[in-house]
Amino acid sequence: MKETIESLLDHALDQLIADGMIETKPGLQVTRTKDAAHGDFTCNTAMMLAKQAGRAPREIAQSIIDALPDDASVEKVEIAGPGFINFFITQENTLSIINDIISGGERFGKSNAAEGEKVQIEFVSANPTGPLHVGHGRGAAYGATLATLMRAVGFDVDCEYYVNDAGRQMNILAASVWLRYLEVNEVTLTFPVNGYKGEYIYDIANSIKAQHGDAFVFPADEVFKDIHADETDGGGSNGGDKEKHIDDLITRAKHLLGTKNYQQVFKAGLDSILDDIRQDLEEFGVPYDNWYSEQTLADRGLIDKAVEQLQMAGHIEERNGALWFISTKFGDEKDRVVIRDNGQATYFASDIAYHMDKFARGYQRVINIWGADHHGYVARVKAAIGALGEKEDKLDILLVQFANLYRGGERVQMSTRSGSFVTLRELREEVGTDAARFFYVMRKCEQHMDFDLDLAKSQSNDNPVYYIQYAHARICSVIGQLSEKQLKHDIENGSQNLNLLTERHETDIISKLDAYADIVHKSAFNAEPHLLVHYLRELATLLHSYYNAHQFINDDSNLHDARFNLIIATRQILHNGLTLLGVSAPEKM
RNA sequence: GUCUCGAUAGCUCAGCUGGAUAGAGCGGCCCCCUCCUAAGGGGCAGGUCGGGGGUUCGACUCCCUCUCGGGACACCA
């Protein structure tokens, strides 16, 4: 309908140009009105033209209206306020949305607006050093919802998890597992400050013991001989360096265990945690198309290749024995090391290789969803993309702000290493997947979010997701009443009598239903799932209000059938919308 | 210090590329189940949209500036 009005206006403006009244057309802004007294759609073009035409806005508005072609769906057009042109749509045309929704079913609201553009969304990608915590949950929910929304408007979306299975953190994990394994085998030791301390490390250690017995056991004095002191050693401020301490332990582990056995421990840790993460995400309704291993980048020589490619393009310089990418040429604030003086590639180098490979795989658009703490990383990655000859705007980096957790009014501190955190799994088990998914996407992603655990965990009606689900269940219940009371609903007769839906509650719902497809489109293209959340909340409010004000089951069979058509359409939209959010639409509550 | 996100009702937040009297939820107060699920509905109270400039017919929205918060600024991963 909006398109129709835009095209009518476009014709009218062409006419005004032909008449010499104006010279250029401004961008058309046709919007849905907030107030029914202003009609169904409004346009501010006359006011925007006032200056160039040198005439009063209302006068221009009249000229535009005079030039508008006739259209059967437009009931009347009015000038209002300072010069708004308000369009009133015929009732027949407005009501057709109900039939459209019923016949469209689950497909209603979907489109092919994006024409199958190939997109990759990479999200979560947490280091596999421990279970996902509630902070990761936001990225997971947001990424999965965005993927679903984008698919709904015709993008060809792949979801990817980048597995950081190489590097120092993973070695720290391996060392942590090994040390816990020693403890499990009755070796007494002081666990390093910098090690991973979560309970799950013991689980992994125990499974290694079950499989390999004491094959990897060494006495404590052999393990800790000549190792740098840990931070807490020596007491007080005379402690050692916790970084050197853990690095020494890693070296010692590799030495004592030998490459093969060390790899076994390493792999046991990685596999166990990665399996856990996979399962966790799957249960959260967050499916991935691809799990991309960082290690394979090095194995396939892609890191060297990326550095080489930058070198050939003249973007690499050697300084103090290290290789630097001159990222300042591409808008970064300082240059970045890609190969350290010890010959090791930096994490950034593998990131460059990774992004190079993303484009090599044919994605027309790449979306990275990162935690806000990676903000400083955006400029350098974009610089690398530019240096490799790709268009920087093909890469969108969306920063998801942290969710601050509150429990009993107190801010909860999270740390993977100290082991004191709330896992995503715990959250899911306590509040349910529906509430968790919904909560996470309620706010736009760049907004800080206060996640009140007590509130989310409470099964009370404070949880907004129930409100929307309840609207859906209520409609289902009413429909269930039909068979219980031996009543019928004739859809065909209902659609003949939609003009009986004249109550304010009814017209409000109808115009809200009419806005659904727009909301889906906007949510997807702007990457703002919260728009859909708010929409569904508003629709549910209208439904509940309608329910309290009017009886759907009615003695007047024409009105009865028409009302059932309306609530069936409403149920369909609630169902479709909740599904896009990854939230269930229960028939009973 | 630089970059970045934010500041809207007591609290948590919407406000669509500037548009007509700024909206929800929670909390507070008052009403509504002999009636399709009260996990609901109706009403009242509550706002200098952080401060100050500017652009515009018109600013919560755009620009500048200041104040106050979150976060980021490694040859770490």
Side-chain angles (χ1 to χ4, degrees), chain A residues 222-481:
Chain A
E222 203 174 331
V223 173
F224 286 93
K225 190 178 177 220
D226 297 330
I227 296 274
H228 265 100
D230 201 355
E231 199 171 63
T232 49
D233 293 345
S237 56
N238 301 324
D241 186 327
K242 60 181 179 179
E243 305 293 346
K244 285 182 179 164
H245 179 71
I246 195 86
D247 282 340
D248 278 1
L249 282 170
I250 292 167
T251 310
R252 182 60 48 85
K254 287 179 178 170
H255 177 72
L256 290 176
L257 289 168
T259 309
K260 189 173 160 242
N261 287 347
Y262 179 80
Q263 280 306 318
Q264 293 234 35
V265 173
F266 183 100
K267 205 167 169 322
L270 172 64
D271 288 352
S272 158
I273 291 172
L274 205 52
D275 281 351
D276 176 76
I277 289 174
R278 271 202 180 97
Q279 191 198 351
D280 201 7
L281 288 170
E282 203 164 295
E283 287 170 9
F284 197 35
V286 181
Y288 279 90
D289 301 288
N290 206 7
W291 296 73
Y292 195 102
S293 154
E294 178 188 2
Q295 184 61 49
T296 61
L297 285 171
D299 296 346
R300 293 162 63 202
L302 290 181
I303 298 176
D304 297 339
K305 200 177 146 194
V307 174
E308 239 168 69
Q309 201 166 322
L310 285 173
Q311 215 153 10
M312 290 199 321
H315 302 313
I316 297 283
E317 257 179 47
E318 189 180 333
R319 294 177 198 160
N320 306 326
L323 293 185
W324 294 69
F325 166 43
I326 316 301
S327 56
T328 45
K329 278 196 286 188
F330 297 91
D332 196 6
E333 57 185 8
K334 57 200 256 190
D335 297 333
R336 309 289 174 177
V337 173
V338 285
I339 305 290
R340 280 177 256 166
D341 58 4
N342 63 9
Q344 292 261 307
T346 60
Y347 183 83
F348 179 45
S350 39
D351 242 0
I352 296 173
Y354 177 45
H355 283 87
M356 192 172 82
D357 187 56
K358 286 187 181 192
F359 287 110
R361 283 184 277 160
Y363 292 111
Q364 293 163 275
R365 243 178 103 188
V366 168
I367 298 175
N368 292 353
I369 298 174
W370 288 352
D373 55 334
H374 285 68
H375 149 256
Y377 224 73
V378 174
R380 76 189 75 165
V381 171
K382 288 223 169 205
I385 300 296
L388 289 167
E390 291 286 352
K391 285 200 171 135
E392 287 177 35
D393 58 9
K394 286 171 78 174
L395 172 69
D396 281 327
I397 298 178
L398 304 178
L399 296 177
V400 176
Q401 293 291 334
F402 288 131
N404 294 321
L405 291 180
Y406 287 85
R407 175 182 279 141
E410 296 278 311
R411 173 96 170 263
V412 181
Q413 293 297 332
M414 287 184 296
S415 162
T416 312
R417 286 193 196 170
S418 66
S420 66
F421 53 84
V422 180
T423 62
L424 176 59
R425 180 171 281 113
E426 281 168 7
L427 181 75
R428 285 195 293 107
E429 281 164 2
E430 292 189 54
V431 309
T433 295
D434 283 344
R437 283 289 297 259
F438 190 90
F439 248 75
Y440 276 128
V441 298
M442 261 168 65
R443 310 265 175 263
K444 49 181 178 202
C445 70
E446 67 262 33
Q447 178 86 18
H448 297 114
M449 182 168 82
D450 288 333
F451 200 125
D452 185 334
L453 287 169
D454 299 322
L455 176 67
K457 285 175 181 173
S458 75
Q459 293 289 330
S460 78
N461 48 357
D462 296 345
N463 251 326
V465 62
Y466 294 139
Y467 183 84
I468 298 169
Q469 290 181 318
Y470 183 44
H472 183 269
R474 245 184 172 172
I475 297 171
C476 292
S477 168
V478 172
I479 291 167
Q481 289 283 319

Side-chain angles (χ1 to χ4, degrees), chain A residues 18-30:
Chain A
D19 294 347
M21 185 183 239
I22 56 171
E23 285 173 10
T24 55
K25 280 188 281 190
L28 274 179
Q29 292 181 25
V30 175

